[in-house]
């Protein structure tokens, strides 16, 4: 947990620490902790917290016209220097007790459900779909939030509506699908496929639905390289799947019961590289330039000193780099 003597601690999660930000605000600090199967590794991944924070800010601003979000500030005098770059000042919300998952491709837990009964969260899908297959259209597959250390439980829309009420459930579903569609389109422009992602929402002081937590980061979304088709096989991704694969493989020695073992240096390095590359590809920026002075953020990405920074390091485990123009940064101050 990050120690901030100037702020009152409220809660500690697997990755984030929450503090009282005053005036109905929270300070959310993203750590370098990494988890798998609802448990936290004893080994951190350097720069992971900065990637999650910077990427969330990018997407909050890029998709602000879809739905209001909880972001108040990502820099400035109310962000303690000790956590600058890893902390967000956000609106305190009444959080909804669900996770809103949207899938554009069949993989992960969704593929496991499909193999069992041909459906995901009560939605019947065409027969014969292979792992990683693109779905005819994105599907909304919600889950419940459970106690720490326990996996979330997939539910169908009727149960989802029972929890939230029909009108709010439909609003969450439509917002989630639109956020996914917009995010997937922008990712595609950068040569990436957005396979699936989860969103979290809360109710603001005015009573309206507000997007919260993180947004389209490597912790909450699965990005694949476009054009690297692997029908029937799991595809290389820019997230922590590399960590999960190592954990369940023979090299880890994990028995599925004991505390998670330390991560070896090569797994830490490869995972860090994937997170940095996801940020660089989506934003066109180097993490070395985060956070920037607000005046600098008005400049096109090509003028932000992208070369030579941490975000430009290549992960040798990934496929060849895609050569294409960088898109302009969308990090204008709100």
């Amino acid at each position: 947990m990050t120690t901030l003597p100037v702020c009152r601690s409220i809660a500690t999660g697997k990755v984030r620490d929450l503090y009282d930000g005053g005036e109905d605000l929270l300070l959310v600090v993203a750590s370098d902790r990494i988890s798998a199967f609802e448990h936290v590794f004893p080994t951190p991944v350097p720069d992971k917290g900065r990637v999650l924070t910077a990427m969330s800010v990018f997407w909050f601003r890029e998709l602000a016209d879809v739905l209001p979000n909880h972001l108040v500030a990502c820099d400035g005098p109310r962000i303690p220097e000790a956590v600058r770059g890893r902390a967000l000042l956000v609106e305190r919300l009444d959080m909804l007790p669900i996770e809103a998952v949207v899938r554009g491709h069949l993989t992960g837990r969704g593929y496991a459900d499909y193999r069992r009964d041909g459906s995901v969260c009560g939605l019947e899908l065409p027969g014969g779909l292979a792992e990683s297959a693109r779905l005819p259209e994105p599907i909304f597959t919600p889950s419940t939030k459970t106690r720490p250390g326990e996996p979330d439980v997939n539910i169908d829309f009727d149960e989802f509506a029972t929890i939230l009420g029909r009108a709010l459930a439909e609003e969450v579903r439509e917002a989630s699908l639109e956020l996914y569609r917009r995010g997937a389109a922008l990712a595609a422009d950068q040569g990436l496929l957005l396979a699936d992602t989860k969103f979290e929402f809360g109710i603001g002081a005015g009573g309206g639905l507000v997007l919260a937590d993180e947004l389209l980061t490597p912790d909450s979304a699965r990005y694949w390289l476009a054009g690297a088709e692997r029908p029937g096989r799991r595809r290389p991704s820019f997230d922590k799947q590399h960590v999960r694969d190592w954990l369940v493989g023979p090299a880890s020695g994990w028995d599925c019961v004991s505390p998670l073992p330390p991560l070896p240096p090569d797994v830490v390095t490869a995972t860090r590289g994937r997170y940095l590359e996801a940020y660089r590809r989506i934003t066109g920026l180097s993490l070395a330039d985060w956070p920037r002075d607000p005046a600098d953020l008005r400049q096109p990405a090509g003028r932000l000193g992208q070369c030579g920074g941490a975000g430009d390091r290549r992960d040798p485990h990934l496929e060849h780099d895609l050569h294409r123009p960088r898109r302009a940064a969308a990090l204008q101050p709100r």
Side-chain angles (χ1 to χ4, degrees), residues 119-301:
S119 66
V120 182
C121 293
L123 298 173
E124 296 292 331
L125 297 177
L129 295 177
E131 182 170 9
S132 303
R134 185 183 186 92
L135 295 170
E137 61 182 21
I139 59 174
F140 179 71
T141 59
S143 66
T144 60
K145 291 181 182 178
T146 54
R147 292 178 297 181
E150 296 181 358
D152 298 330
V153 178
N154 288 347
I155 56 177
D156 62 25
F157 187 76
D158 285 340
E159 185 174 352
F160 181 69
T162 299
I163 294 170
L164 296 187
R166 178 69 56 172
L168 181 57
E170 290 178 352
E171 185 179 3
V172 169
R173 178 175 60 184
E174 293 311 307
S176 299
L177 288 168
E178 182 61 16
L179 288 165
Y180 173 86
R181 292 186 191 103
R182 288 277 301 276
L186 288 166
D189 288 343
Q190 302 307 103
L192 297 178
L193 297 178
L194 178 57
D196 56 30
T197 189
K198 66 169 182 151
F199 305 107
E200 294 202 34
F201 300 90
I203 303 298
L209 188 65
V210 179
L211 182 61
D213 197 55
E214 60 184 314
L215 181 58
L216 295 174
T217 73
D219 265 15
S220 64
R222 203 182 319 248
Y223 292 103
W224 295 334
L225 279 177
E229 300 299 333
R230 302 163 65 96
R233 299 171 58 192
R234 184 178 294 165
R235 299 176 60 163
S237 58
F238 295 87
D239 56 24
K240 59 184 178 182
Q241 188 61 49
H242 182 65
V243 170
R244 296 189 192 99
D245 292 344
W246 173 83
L247 180 62
V248 299
S252 75
W254 187 52
D255 59 8
C256 300
V257 176
S258 304
L260 298 188
L263 291 170
D266 62 317
V267 174
V268 171
T269 298
T271 303
R272 177 180 181 271
R274 282 165 166 76
Y275 277 67
L276 292 172
E277 188 70 357
Y279 177 71
R280 184 190 70 83
R281 286 177 179 274
I282 289 294
T283 69
L285 300 172
S286 164
L287 192 67
D289 296 315
W290 168 262
R292 300 284 298 195
D293 182 277
D296 293 339
L297 297 177
R298 299 190 182 95
Q299 302 301 323

Side-chain angles (χ1 to χ4, degrees), residues 35-53:
S35 65
F37 307 114
E38 308 303 322
H39 297 283
V40 178
F41 284 94
T43 315
V45 175
D47 290 317
K48 178 174 177 282
R50 295 179 66 226
V51 169
L52 299 183
T53 303

